[in-house]
Amino acid sequence: MTDKPVRWGILGAAKFAREHMGPAIHAAKGADLAALATSSPDKAAPFRAFAPGIDVHDGYDALLADASIDAVYIPLPNHLHVDWTLKALDAGKHVLCEKPLAMRADQFDAVIAKRDATGLVAAEAYMIVHHPQWHLARTLVRSGEIGELVQVDGVFSYDNRTDTGNIRNRADTGGGGIPDIGVYTYGSARFVTGEEPEEITHAEITWENGVDVWARVCARFPSFQYHAVTSMRMAARQEMTFHGSKGFVRLTAPFNPQVFGQAEVHLHRPGFEVVTTRFPAVNHYVQQVEAFGRSVREGAEYPCPLEFSRGTQAMIDMVFARARG
């Protein structure tokens, strides 16, 4: 155990790193945003605005060779995640990699093996499980507060059709709505219930230029039925509902609260009673960085291990297999 802050480096000056994860690392307790890898001074400038002392390396390998860096955050395009995660672990760095860490479930195996061989912390940046709204939802569902769980349904959508250069709209970078946001609608159901899908009973997908832009998926889990829609071509909406025999739990900003809206958990009880719990100030990106730091510094169990993330990717693989027949 050590009280020294974890010194972080970021591979690439991605917009998400600039707007969310960079500031979160800078704000997190026990963390020091110390380095950035980018060859563009213009892209480095916004990071220096909130982290003036940050070192800038002109390449990813140069940052990995920096002995002062303990951990790296990887926000690169999806198809590069596995390779750079393995390189970072080989360089002796702990790794937090953006989701999806891999494009197929079996690609997780090499990362899990490397994590175990090195003894380093490696995880997918699946931030929602660090938010207390999801722990409350899990407690309510598993405690029987809503009776027997019958159905889980969700939706996550946004519209980026005009952003044609976005990596989510490109097949060659591992784009698509399901890899980007299906991880949330699928993974959150697994997190709350602790169950895995037995069968994808329906998978209807609309494709554009090789990426899924709309998908409706139904699945059978051991104790409930599941239905979700993801889209990159609809107005922004997000919601998850866990519907039981006596009531239901609804999350109104389940995936990116503060951006989409205030995180709220609505417990609907018999007699039309509604109990609302609000989380106005929680930043789950900061929570994620702090949890990662505790695992690095104290050896604490990380709340979202690679095995969980592999399970979500396995469900995504099942969805694509069903859609393609």
Side-chain angles (χ1 to χ4, degrees):
M1 179 175 176
T2 177
D3 293 329
K4 290 179 59 179
V6 176
R7 287 178 55 83
W8 285 84
I10 299 177
L11 296 189
K15 178 182 178 183
F16 190 80
R18 180 177 73 245
E19 295 182 354
H20 295 288
M21 281 302 295
I25 294 170
H26 183 64
K29 297 176 182 176
D32 177 14
L33 181 54
L36 171 71
T38 178
S39 59
S40 171
D42 290 341
K43 291 182 178 180
F47 291 85
R48 285 194 165 118
F50 62 81
I54 196 169
D55 291 329
V56 177
H57 298 280
D58 63 4
Y60 305 153
D61 287 311
L63 190 149
L64 294 183
D66 185 341
S68 73
I69 298 302
D70 305 308
V72 295
Y73 166 64
I74 300 177
L76 300 173
N78 297 342
H79 69 299
L80 300 175
H81 287 174
V82 169
D83 286 348
W84 282 102
T85 295
L86 292 173
K87 289 178 182 179
L89 290 169
D90 280 333
K93 312 301 184 188
H94 304 280
V95 182
L96 183 64
C97 180
E98 257 314 317
K99 53 78 195 163
L101 187 148
M103 303 309 299
R104 299 190 316 272
D106 60 7
Q107 293 177 332
F108 274 86
D109 297 339
V111 180
I112 291 171
K114 184 72 69 174
R115 175 202 65 186
D116 293 345
T118 60
L120 295 165
V121 180
E124 182 181 69
Y126 194 66
M127 75 291 184
I128 68 169
V129 302
H130 303 277
H131 198 293
Q133 68 170 334
W134 282 106
H135 292 269
L136 174 59
R138 182 169 64 173
T139 296
L140 292 173
V141 171
R142 295 192 185 189
S143 68
E145 184 72 35
I146 61 172
E148 179 182 351
L149 182 63
V150 179
Q151 176 177 308
V152 176
D153 51 84
V155 62
F156 195 176
S157 62
Y158 57 85
D159 189 350
N160 72 348
R161 75 187 70 206
T162 62
D163 191 4
T164 56
N166 191 299
I167 61 172
R168 296 164 185 82
N169 282 320
R170 294 171 50 191
D172 62 327
T173 56
I178 292 174
D180 186 42
I181 53 181
V183 292
Y184 297 126
T185 52
Y186 305 164
S188 62
R190 297 177 54 249
F191 177 76
V192 167
T193 66
E195 295 187 17
E196 302 293 343
E198 294 179 328
E199 181 186 3
I200 305 300
T201 57
H202 178 84
E204 182 180 357
I205 296 178
T206 299
W207 302 86
E208 290 181 12
N209 301 317
V211 300
D212 64 286
V213 297
W214 179 91
R216 180 164 61 93
V217 170
C218 301
R220 186 182 71 250
F221 282 71
S223 69
F224 64 91
Q225 298 293 323
Y226 174 89
H227 173 264
V229 170
T230 55
S231 179
M232 304 193 300
R233 297 295 184 268
M234 299 199 304
R237 180 184 169 207
Q238 54 182 259
E239 184 177 323
M240 288 293 296
T241 302
F242 298 80
H243 202 151
S245 57
K246 297 193 304 182
F248 61 93
V249 171
R250 185 168 71 96
L251 292 87
T252 60
F255 306 125
N256 54 356
Q258 296 184 340
V259 175
F260 181 80
Q262 179 173 255
E264 296 183 356
V265 177
H266 296 224
L267 170 62
H268 292 251
R269 288 173 166 164
F272 300 103
E273 178 189 3
V274 181
V275 178
T276 300
T277 304
R278 298 177 175 86
F279 303 88
V282 176
N283 184 315
H284 52 189
Y285 301 115
V286 173
Q287 301 278 97
Q288 176 179 241
V289 173
E290 291 179 350
F292 193 94
R294 286 190 292 272
S295 295
V296 170
R297 298 193 317 273
E298 304 167 16
E301 183 177 355
Y302 190 65
C304 190
L306 289 174
E307 287 80 359
F308 175 86
S309 298
R310 189 190 192 284
T312 299
Q313 186 60 48
M315 183 173 176
I316 291 173
D317 293 350
M318 292 170 66
V319 168
F320 284 133
R322 173 74 182 191
R324 288 168 174 155

